[in-house]
Amino acid sequence: MSKTIISLKDVDYAYEKKPVLTNINFDIPQGAFMGLVGPNGGGKTTLIKLILGLLKPDNGSVSLFDEPIGKFKNWNHIGFVSQKSNTFNKGFPATVFEVVSMGLTARIGYLKFFTKKDKAKVSQAINQVGMSDYAHQNIGNLSGGQQQRVFIARSLVNDPKLLILDEPTVGVDNENVQRFYELLHQLNQERNITLLLVTHDTGIMTEHATDIVCLNKTLYFHGDPAEYSSLTKQDLSHFYGHPINLVTHDH
Ligand code: ADP
């Protein structure tokens, strides 16, 4: 039986009595590529914090890998990349290799010496994201899209089973956004990594995601890209709370 990687049941959450999430129910099965969309202030970040155990639901429950979150211990199975990952100081004196190595320090301890096997793992992760030619370049000299690939590699050294990406392509140019999505697609298909991607880019997401969830305080929609594409302008305007222009990508 395939695992349920994330399961939310009847989840409510309020900040100081101001309800932000109400009655949230969904499961993410192993191998899914789930796109999470919604207007600003719709509760996406709060939902991610609940999934990462940084906040506790007021009602309902969160399970990870079929275990109640309170009992879950394998946090190294979960990688997280945010849009803020790439707000690196241009002068930050670390190479791509060093930044990716940092993914291992959480596990083997700060400033411990890396074994040959660890170094091979770092090189392999850098290769997987297509950044081998840049391994010894300073991270601060790379473009936003390249930096995000490096941060994915930093997660990959821990062999994650789930990657959570919070608007990772903000500030990345169009061509590199395409390449970034191709990388995600490859990780999902070839390494069977389950993906949860928060994004505003619904057009490109519908090309790659297997499931789409629309969140605005409550869950408005959960379905596959074909069902999402059949939503009308009125459906989306109701969901976003204002008129909306549909954005589609030509193939
Ligand atoms: P999104 O990520 O979809 O933009 P958020 O989860 O960040 O949405 O925010 C949902 C709502 O909760 C917003 O109205 C926001 O102002 C509020 N909020 C977020 N964080 C806090 C906080 N730490 N304290 C109080 N209110 C918050």
Side-chain angles (χ1 to χ4, degrees):
M1 206 178 75
S2 84
K3 270 185 189 294
T4 303
I5 301 297
I6 300 173
S7 178
L8 285 97
K9 294 227 181 320
D10 305 329
V11 168
D12 295 334
Y13 188 80
Y15 291 105
E16 286 143 29
K17 303 216 165 99
K18 177 186 157 203
V20 171
L21 293 172
T22 309
N23 195 26
I24 307 295
N25 284 282
F26 69 85
D27 287 352
I28 302 186
Q30 185 168 33
F33 182 160
M34 182 171 280
L36 172 61
V37 299
N40 282 334
K44 300 182 295 300
T45 306
T46 304
L47 186 75
I48 299 293
K49 287 183 176 173
L50 288 161
I51 292 170
L52 291 172
L54 303 171
L55 297 174
K56 221 170 153 227
D58 298 329
N59 297 302
S61 60
V62 178
S63 299
L64 297 172
F65 297 81
D66 292 325
E67 275 191 273
I69 195 166
K71 292 198 172 150
F72 181 72
K73 300 226 163 46
N74 293 322
W75 289 101
N76 61 320
H77 284 171
I78 302 179
F80 177 67
V81 175
S82 77
Q83 61 174 293
K84 292 176 191 77
S85 301
N86 67 6
T87 52
F88 246 88
N89 182 327
K90 284 273 175 208
F92 187 75
T95 65
V96 166
F97 193 91
E98 287 167 336
V99 170
V100 176
S101 302
M102 286 174 202
L104 285 176
T105 52
R107 191 144 51 91
I108 62 180
Y110 183 57
L111 286 185
K112 287 249 173 70
F113 288 107
F114 291 114
T115 63
K116 252 192 182 159
K117 211 168 135 204
D118 293 330
K119 285 185 181 162
K121 209 150 200 199
V122 171
S123 296
Q124 196 189 5
I126 294 172
N127 187 34
Q128 178 130 38
V129 302
M131 289 298 290
S132 294
D133 290 348
Y134 300 85
H136 299 291
Q137 290 222 11
N138 195 312
I139 180 94
N141 294 335
L142 304 180
S143 71
Q146 289 171 326
Q147 287 182 356
Q148 287 301 63
R149 298 171 84 82
V150 173
F151 293 117
I152 296 265
R154 185 174 62 178
S155 293
L156 292 181
V157 291
N158 286 316
D159 292 324
K161 312 264 182 284
L162 165 69
L163 260 186
I164 298 178
L165 303 120
D166 189 3
E167 301 195 42
T169 55
V170 167
V172 174
D173 61 86
N174 269 343
E175 191 188 327
N176 283 308
V177 168
Q178 279 286 358
R179 289 192 61 197
F180 190 79
Y181 273 85
E182 281 158 22
L183 170 64
L184 295 183
H185 185 80
Q186 188 193 347
L187 295 175
N188 179 242
Q189 295 294 308
E190 293 174 13
R191 286 186 58 166
N192 198 25
I193 298 177
T194 304
L195 300 174
L196 172 59
L197 170 74
V198 178
T199 183
H200 282 293
D201 196 344
T202 50
I204 192 166
M205 183 189 64
T206 52
E207 287 178 35
H208 296 284
T210 56
D211 290 68
I212 297 174
V213 159
C214 297
L215 183 73
N216 189 4
K217 297 196 167 65
T218 185
L219 213 72
Y220 268 74
F221 170 86
H222 181 188
D224 65 24
E227 289 166 319
Y228 180 80
S229 301
S230 69
L231 294 177
T232 62
K233 243 180 171 177
Q234 280 82 359
D235 291 333
L236 289 174
S237 300
H238 176 59
F239 162 53
Y240 277 93
H242 58 78
I244 197 110
N245 284 318
L246 290 174
V247 185
T248 52
H249 278 244
D250 296 326
H251 294 264

